[in-house]
Structures are given as C-alpha cells and as structure tokens.
Amino acid sequence: MKGLANLRKSYEQGHLSEDETTSAPLALFERWFVEAEKAGIPEPNAMTLATVGADGRPSTRVVLVKEVDERGLVWYTNYESRKGRDLQNNPYAALQFHWVELERVVRIEGTVGKVSSEESDAYFAERPLDSRLGAWASPQSHVIASRAVLVSAAARAAATYGLKPPRPEHWGGYRLIPETWEFWQGRKSRLHDRIRYRLDDGAWVRERLAP
C-alpha cells in the first residue's frame, strides 16, 4: 500500500462544453447512459446510493436503477434494510453513477419516496423466481447466524409459495426526485468539466463548477 500516493492517471477521453449539454438534465443523462451501454460498460445501471441515518451517520451501497423518467430514478429494495430505515427518518439521498471507462460521473441529489404498490407489484412479478423467493428469505441488513439461515428460509418460501410468491409488504421501490444533477467529465491536468443543473422555482438552471 506504500505506492498509493503515486497512483494517478491522465483523463483525456472526452470533454463537456455548455454547447454539448441540453436544457434539461434528463436528456443529457439518457444520452450518456446510451453511450455507456454502447461502450460495453458492465452494469451501466449500477449506482451508489448515499443515505443518512437518524444518528447523522452517512452510509453508501450500490443498487441498480430500474426506471428513469421525468418523475425521477427508481430502485427496489427491502424497506426494513439499513437504507430503508435511513430513508424513513431522513427522506433525502444522493446517487452516483461512475462510468470509469468513459471517465464520467453523474451525481444526483433529491428527495425520496416510495413508489406505488402497483408499481412495486408489477416489477416484482417480472423478477426471476429465485430473486422473488430471496426477497422473502433475507432479513436484509440484520445479523444472521450463518448462510444456512438464508438457505433454509429460501426453501421455506419455495415450499410455501411455489412458483408464484407474492410481493412481501416489506419490499418495494423508491423514487428519488432530483433537485440537482451534476455531470463530470474527466479532463487533462485535473481541469475537469463539471456542469450542474439545479432547480430554481421549477426551472432548471445550468451552471459550470470549478473542478
């Protein structure tokens, strides 16, 4: 670990000028996301979710975005997990996509609320059977004695529900409603491009930030 201070690279793949951006952030995000897919980036929909607990301590984890539109960004999880408990006490969060191969980062901050039961039901029904049974088997973020606890719980869920397990009440979707977006493009000499969009009286204000 002695060489950490000397680990660095020069970012030279792209640039982001105001002329290349859009009037609203969603269109730019969609363009970047498509470019990440075309670049063959593994799981371009993986994003870091940051929450803050009732004790004021932040926590991060990686989740998968499952829907993005004008209403916000949606992911699904166990409501009784640490992130679920955090959001119950503090319904604000931050998201970050890091597409390393393209030297790009997208950061989003905003308020979070649960999606409708109908939306959660529809998505749950589309999940693979093992994933649906896993939602019943795992007391996410809680201490368990061993992996055998999960295996036996999954077996019980399979025996109980067969091929059609219903969605547990403790499992469903969250939607982050963006208040700010930031698009970061790595540049040479650490003079990176940072374009931020922030809501001001219902309209998006676009501005450049110093790197």
Side-chain angles (χ1 to χ4, degrees):
M1 305 297 287
K2 293 181 180 180
L4 286 178
N6 296 317
L7 287 178
R8 58 176 57 86
K9 65 169 290 186
S10 180
Y11 298 96
E12 301 181 18
Q13 287 201 40
H15 55 82
L16 181 62
S17 68
E18 284 77 357
D19 292 340
E20 296 171 302
T21 63
T22 55
S23 58
L26 182 58
L28 180 55
F29 176 80
E30 290 175 340
R31 190 175 82 204
W32 274 24
F33 190 89
V34 169
E35 291 174 359
E37 287 185 302
K38 290 181 178 179
I41 293 175
E43 292 192 307
N45 59 329
M47 60 185 184
T48 299
L49 165 65
T51 58
V52 176
D55 58 2
R57 293 178 178 269
S59 177
T60 65
R61 72 288 289 164
V62 176
V63 297
L64 301 179
V65 67
K66 292 299 181 179
E67 183 179 353
V68 183
D69 57 24
E70 292 80 3
R71 298 175 298 168
L73 297 91
V74 175
W75 67 93
Y76 291 86
T77 189
N78 187 315
Y79 291 144
E80 297 174 357
S81 63
R82 179 175 178 179
K83 54 186 171 296
R85 297 194 301 270
D86 285 356
L87 291 169
Q88 183 174 357
N89 288 291
N90 184 6
Y92 298 92
L95 303 172
Q96 177 172 290
F97 294 84
H98 188 189
W99 297 316
V100 178
E101 294 85 347
L102 297 177
E103 300 173 354
R104 287 175 173 175
V105 173
V106 181
R107 300 172 57 210
I108 310 114
E109 299 176 11
T111 59
V112 180
K114 293 179 179 179
V115 305
S116 69
S117 296
E118 291 77 14
E119 289 175 282
S120 291
D121 286 341
Y123 174 72
F124 189 81
E126 296 176 354
R127 303 183 83 210
L129 177 60
D130 287 349
S131 297
R132 283 178 281 156
L133 294 172
W136 283 98
S138 175
Q140 193 175 112
S141 300
H142 292 76
V143 175
I144 57 176
S146 68
R147 183 172 177 81
V149 173
L150 295 177
V151 175
S152 61
R156 288 195 301 272
T160 301
Y161 300 113
L163 300 177
K164 295 183 178 180
R167 177 179 66 88
E169 291 186 6
H170 62 259
W171 191 97
Y174 286 103
R175 175 178 285 110
L176 183 140
I177 303 172
E179 296 175 349
T180 65
W181 294 73
E182 182 187 323
F183 295 84
W184 182 98
Q185 176 70 62
R187 296 294 300 274
K188 191 175 181 179
S189 301
R190 294 298 188 266
L191 299 179
H192 310 303
D193 291 324
R194 295 177 63 190
I195 302 295
R196 180 177 68 184
Y197 293 79
R198 59 179 175 84
L199 272 181
D200 184 7
D201 197 23
W204 288 108
V205 175
R206 180 178 45 188
E207 50 203 0
R208 178 173 288 268
L209 302 179

